[in-house]
């Protein structure tokens, strides 16, 4: 991806989100654009207007960590946004050159012991995904939980394709707009962390071409850390489910996340997961990789 364009659009979009009052500045009455002026961000970051304008044109190469931190404070970036800015700066410096993939990423396969770990989780869906939102490995309950995703070969076991290209996602995610925002923020975060991923480029291009909803969200440049929270779902076999989730970064496979969904003990949602497990036992839902091995 074009690093300078990414930097320019990210910084501009963050500046537009902050109203003067949030920065302790008078609002005035002659503002022609939303958010702060470049001169105001420069003053808050204690750099010259000319220097900040250079940064916002996308020139982050050689910028010191202290200046990046000052800009992050001035723009009131959260942890995910600050990390994204640092990733963009690393890409601008070429400091990711040693880890830059030269071709498409090889297909990752779960080693046997990891599958044993996933299968040992019997009370909730457990799965491994990458930053492109590919489902790479799953326990039986996760395969049943994402039955709609696996049902269409066109989804390619990818949660982002399912979200934006499969009409079934509108039923599966009752809070569809929120789920869509999260999906794009995850992909945007991955693009900053791994800007030379050809498969990610292709996925973003496909979704941008085929989905107005994706294209609009991608242009917002929002990023997020997606580690814990609660989501609502509607599963065709058991109905409404409200589940908590925990996402764990895998030390043995950097860039991959192990996610486990669970329900409050004694709640109707816990009973819903039991019903899902019973349904799964009758369905024999398998992943595409397993289907190909038959």
């Amino acid at each position: 991806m074009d690093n300078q364009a990414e930097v320019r659009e990210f910084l501009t979009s963050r500046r537009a989100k902050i109203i003067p009052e949030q920065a302790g500045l008078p609002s005035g009455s002659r503002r022609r654009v939303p958010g702060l002026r470049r001169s105001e961000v420069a003053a808050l970051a204690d750099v010259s207007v000319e220097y900040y304008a250079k940064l916002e044109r996308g020139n982050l190469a050689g910028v010191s960590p202290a200046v990046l931190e000052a800009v992050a404070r001035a723009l009131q970036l959260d942890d995910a946004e600050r990390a994204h800015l640092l990733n963009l700066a690393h890409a601008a410096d070429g400091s990711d050159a040693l880890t830059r993939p030269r071709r498409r990423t090889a297909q990752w396969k779960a080693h046997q012991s990891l599958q044993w770990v996933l299968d040992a989780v019997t009370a909730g869906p457990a799965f491994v995904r990458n930053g492109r939102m590919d489902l790479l490995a799953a326990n039986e309950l996760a395969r049943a939980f994402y039955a709609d995703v696996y049902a269409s070969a066109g989804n390619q076991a990818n949660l982002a394709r399912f979200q934006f290209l499969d009409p079934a996602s509108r039923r599966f995610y009752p809070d569809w707009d929120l789920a869509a925002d999260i999906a794009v923020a995850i992909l945007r975060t991955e693009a900053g962390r791994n800007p030379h991923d050809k498969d990610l480029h292709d996925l973003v291009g496909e979704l941008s071409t085929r989905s107005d909803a994706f294209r609009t969200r991608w242009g917002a440049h929002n990023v997020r850390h997606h580690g814990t929270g609660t989501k609502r779902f509607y599963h065709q076999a058991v109905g409404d489910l409200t589940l908590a989730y925990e996402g764990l970064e895998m030390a043995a496979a950097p860039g991959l996340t192990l996610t486990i969904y669970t329900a409050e003990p004694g709640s109707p949602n816990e009973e819903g997961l039991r019903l899902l497990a019973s349904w799964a036992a009758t369905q024999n839902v398998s992943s595409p990789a397993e289907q190909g091995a038959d």
Side-chain angles (χ1 to χ4, degrees):
M1 297 181 183
D2 183 341
N3 180 261
Q4 286 198 340
E6 290 291 311
V7 172
R8 180 176 65 250
E9 293 168 13
F10 178 67
L11 290 178
T12 301
S13 67
R14 298 312 92 176
R15 179 164 60 85
K17 289 179 66 174
I18 301 181
I19 62 175
E21 289 83 356
Q22 290 177 299
L25 300 171
S27 59
S29 59
R30 301 183 62 183
R31 291 181 178 272
R32 294 176 294 178
V33 295
L36 299 180
R37 300 184 178 101
R38 284 196 187 95
S39 60
E40 291 168 333
V41 175
L44 291 168
D46 196 24
V47 297
S48 70
V49 177
E50 293 77 12
Y51 188 74
Y52 179 73
K54 174 186 173 183
L55 301 184
E56 201 170 276
R57 286 195 297 270
N59 299 312
L60 286 187
V63 178
S64 71
V67 169
L68 291 172
E69 182 59 31
V71 170
R73 286 196 305 269
L75 294 174
Q76 300 182 21
L77 303 186
D78 63 22
D79 289 343
E81 291 169 328
R82 179 179 280 102
H84 188 64
L85 179 62
L86 293 177
N87 284 331
L88 293 174
H90 291 158
D93 280 338
S95 54
D96 62 341
L98 293 177
T99 59
R100 183 181 304 174
R102 297 176 181 272
R103 54 182 67 88
R104 291 181 183 277
T105 305
Q107 181 64 41
W108 181 88
K109 292 183 179 180
H111 49 84
Q112 191 175 49
S113 60
L114 174 59
Q115 190 61 55
W116 292 343
V117 170
L118 293 172
D119 291 339
V121 180
T122 58
F127 59 93
V128 174
R129 67 161 179 84
N130 57 24
R132 297 189 301 272
M133 303 187 72
D134 294 316
L135 293 172
L136 301 176
N139 66 358
E140 183 179 61
L141 205 50
R143 293 192 293 270
F145 181 68
Y146 284 123
D148 284 341
V149 180
Y150 291 125
S152 172
N155 292 330
Q156 300 178 49
N158 180 273
L159 294 174
R161 281 194 184 88
F162 173 69
Q163 176 81 51
F164 291 100
L165 303 182
D166 193 329
S169 72
R170 297 279 180 171
R171 175 188 63 193
F172 185 69
Y173 297 112
D175 303 314
W176 191 90
D177 286 316
L178 176 60
D181 291 343
I182 291 172
V184 176
I186 290 172
L187 293 181
R188 178 59 85 175
T189 301
E190 179 67 6
R193 184 168 51 236
N194 194 4
H196 309 290
D197 185 337
K198 181 66 165 59
D199 292 317
L200 178 60
H201 287 207
D202 291 348
L203 176 63
V204 169
E206 176 189 357
L207 296 179
S208 296
T209 300
R210 300 178 61 187
S211 170
D212 291 340
F214 177 85
R215 186 166 56 252
T216 298
R217 287 172 168 83
W218 185 254
H221 286 263
N222 291 328
V223 294
R224 66 174 287 152
H225 290 155
H226 193 62
T228 186
T230 302
K231 292 182 181 179
R232 293 200 307 140
F233 305 94
Y234 180 87
H235 193 279
Q236 57 179 314
V238 301
D240 292 315
L241 290 169
T242 299
L243 303 177
Y245 66 90
E246 293 291 334
L248 310 173
E249 294 295 323
M250 295 179 59
L256 302 188
T257 301
L258 168 62
T259 300
I260 301 174
Y261 282 106
T262 188
E264 180 182 355
S267 69
N269 298 298
E270 184 181 48
E271 179 60 26
L273 286 180
R274 292 197 190 98
L275 291 174
L276 181 62
S278 297
W279 181 81
T282 69
Q283 299 300 305
N284 191 29
V285 179
S286 60
S287 70
E290 293 168 327
Q291 292 168 358
D294 292 340

